[in-house]
Amino acid sequence: MQTIDKPNAVELNVLKDMGVMNHEQVVFCNDATTGLKAIIGIHNTVLGPALGGTRMWHYANDAEALEDVLRLSRGMTFKAAISGLNLGGGKAVIIGDSRTQKNEALLRRFGKFVDSLGGKYITAEDVGMGTADIEYISMETDHVTGLPEYLGGTGDPSPVTAYGVYMGMKASAKHVYGSDDLKGKTVAVQGCGHVGQYLVGHLVKEGAKVLVADIFEDNLQECTHKYPIVQVIDPKKIYETPMDIYAPCALGGTLNNETIEKLKCTIVAGAANNQLKVEKVNGEQLIQKGIVYAPDFLINSGGLINVYGEIMGYNKEAALKKAEFIYAVTLEIFKYASENNMTNGEAAIHYAQRRIDQMAKINSHL
Ligand code: NAD
């Protein structure tokens, strides 16, 4: 046993941050044997158990990881609510490099932590995780979705996520250009990972001019091998590149004071969670620049719809059909935002919160 040599306590704002965003519970996980360091955020369980993927990322520090898990789990609450699913919002982050530090023991230890929550949190995959990792986690807990098909799961949710994003993008085009036809439109996809590549597939098929950027050469090569027609651009120059539609499919926070200033597009519609660095301020900045923002948690809800199917027992076709509704809801949110003088992000949160508040009333009778 090591002595504790830490001097005076440094200031921690965990409970304050939880209060600001209204989180129910945050679980910190540490295991010296496997090197696991993880945080599980449970934002709201009014509609059902908190479901959300686990992200593995090399965060610069614990505060960055905490901020990510708090924001991501809150987004999951709204995503489930606006999609009409009976799920709460949760998310987990594992701190580390998924390319070098991920292994069976670490993932199974994480599975044990998930299991200790008794089903209040259900995990799935996110950035840095794949179905094989989910399989390891499932060896230690039943509270997991997105299992490979050979284990009775619905497999990688990314195709349904990408289809939903595509629907949201088409609805945005209808709103802005009067037609949802993306043929000839220039779309820059940031991040050629699971979702990004499937999205590129839809766009290429429709005849859009697709630009792609990624920080990893192998991901780019995989994408250009599948779709030789796409054009690779420098990830550092994506914001100033002229385009009609910017599709962020990497990490969050890419819509901030600095990038919005540079952006040369009319629509933002992508898969990444928490695209707006500061929700209200950056949402308003986009309006001022004449850019229509399709709320991220609404148009990327296809993956959640897909894993929900795994719990409820429906298949991928049914999930795709449900994801198609994203088109109609996106248009409804744009209308609601303009009628109520709100940003599109605020309108989507209003919609989601309204359902949560209504369902809280029926629960209060139990
Ligand atoms: P992924 O890890 O497979 O892909 C992310 C890609 O982004 C990787 O190729 C990575 O190299 C690239 N990347 C990271 N930083 C970048 C940068 N600065 N510039 C360019 N590329 C960069 O993840 P994914 O499953 O495709 O998810 C993408 C985003 O969509 C994430 O924000 C995730 O939370 C969100 N999302 C995913 C799903 C899903 O079903 N997988 C569902 C909802 C939301």
Side-chain angles (χ1 to χ4, degrees):
M1 179 68 78
Q2 275 184 318
T3 54
I4 302 167
D5 293 329
K6 198 169 171 204
N8 298 331
V10 287
E11 194 185 345
L12 266 183
N13 291 317
V14 185
L15 285 164
K16 189 170 159 228
D17 290 349
M18 285 173 72
V20 170
M21 291 193 235
N22 217 1
H23 281 74
E24 284 180 19
Q25 193 177 1
V26 175
V27 182
F28 292 85
C29 315
N30 174 59
D31 181 63
T33 322
T34 58
L36 174 75
K37 293 205 182 300
I39 314 175
I40 300 172
I42 297 173
H43 179 252
N44 187 296
T45 55
V46 168
L47 297 178
L51 193 153
T54 296
R55 171 173 297 189
M56 186 160 182
W57 193 252
H58 46 280
Y59 294 98
N61 50 51
D62 296 356
E64 203 182 79
L66 178 66
E67 191 192 344
D68 208 22
V69 80
L70 291 180
R71 291 190 54 167
L72 287 166
S73 51
R74 173 177 174 268
M76 292 308 292
T77 297
F78 298 138
K79 191 182 303 199
I82 206 164
S83 310
L85 309 177
N86 294 321
L87 290 172
K91 203 92 180 182
V93 295
I94 297 177
I95 300 166
D97 186 339
S98 67
R99 291 188 169 223
T100 56
Q101 288 171 273
K102 199 166 61 177
N103 57 57
E104 178 182 354
L106 180 132
L107 292 165
R108 291 182 66 168
R109 185 66 188 94
F110 176 69
K112 282 187 186 291
F113 277 111
V114 171
D115 201 56
S116 72
L117 295 170
K120 190 172 182 184
Y121 169 65
I122 303 171
T123 198
E125 73 174 78
D126 193 68
V127 175
M129 302 284 275
T131 44
D133 305 319
I134 295 301
E135 189 177 341
Y136 282 136
I137 294 172
S138 77
M139 290 173 188
E140 305 300 334
T141 182
D142 290 336
H143 307 301
V144 57
T145 52
L147 280 166
E149 267 140 322
Y150 62 84
L151 284 177
T154 47
D156 178 11
S158 307
V160 187
T161 304
Y163 184 64
V165 171
Y166 174 57
M167 287 294 110
M169 192 183 283
K170 280 180 82 63
S172 308
K174 173 89 185 155
H175 179 72
V176 175
Y177 313 126
S179 158
D180 65 13
D181 192 355
L182 299 175
K183 189 164 183 229
K185 298 285 180 223
T186 302
V187 186
V189 179
Q190 180 184 44
C192 299
H194 290 98
V195 183
Q197 289 195 27
Y198 284 110
L199 178 63
V200 168
H202 290 295
L203 297 172
V204 165
K205 196 166 165 206
E206 185 156 339
K209 182 180 176 215
V210 184
L211 315 178
V212 293
D214 203 290
I215 50 169
F216 288 115
E217 195 53 40
D218 50 351
N219 293 358
L220 272 176
Q221 271 175 14
E222 203 180 298
C223 188
T224 51
H225 181 72
K226 277 191 218 160
Y227 309 105
I229 198 167
V230 303
Q231 187 189 327
V232 174
I233 56 168
D234 182 343
K236 292 198 195 85
K237 302 216 173 108
I238 188 162
Y239 305 109
E240 58 234 49
T241 304
M243 58 178 121
D244 297 300
I245 303 171
Y246 165 49
C249 296
L251 296 185
T254 61
L255 297 171
N256 52 52
N257 296 351
E258 204 184 307
T259 58
I260 293 173
E261 204 47 51
K262 294 182 191 159
L263 269 181
K264 293 192 177 84
C265 63
T266 37
I267 291 171
V268 175
N273 286 304
N274 299 329
Q275 292 166 22
L276 296 163
K277 180 88 178 155
V278 185
E279 279 171 9
K280 191 163 172 61
V281 174
N282 297 139
E284 284 171 352
Q285 264 177 327
L286 286 171
I287 294 175
Q288 277 153 22
K289 276 207 76 173
I291 299 172
V292 168
Y293 164 69
D296 49 13
F297 66 80
L298 164 62
I299 73 164
N300 74 11
S301 60
L304 185 64
I305 291 169
N306 189 62
V307 292
Y308 186 63
E310 201 166 311
I311 300 170
M312 301 305 285
Y314 58 78
N315 60 23
K316 193 145 261 168
E317 284 67 43
L320 282 166
K321 204 83 209 130
K322 199 164 165 54
E324 221 164 271
F325 277 119
I326 290 170
Y327 184 104
V329 182
T330 304
L331 287 175
E332 215 170 297
I333 292 297
F334 290 157
K335 189 162 171 271
Y336 186 82
S338 73
E339 282 170 1
N340 294 282
N341 202 20
M342 290 174 180
T343 66
N344 293 336
E346 284 175 309
I349 290 176
H350 263 239
Y351 243 62
Q353 190 62 51
R354 195 169 57 187
R355 176 162 179 254
I356 296 166
D357 294 343
Q358 283 168 353
M359 293 309 114
K361 284 183 199 152
I362 64 162
N363 286 344
S364 68
H365 293 288
L366 297 176

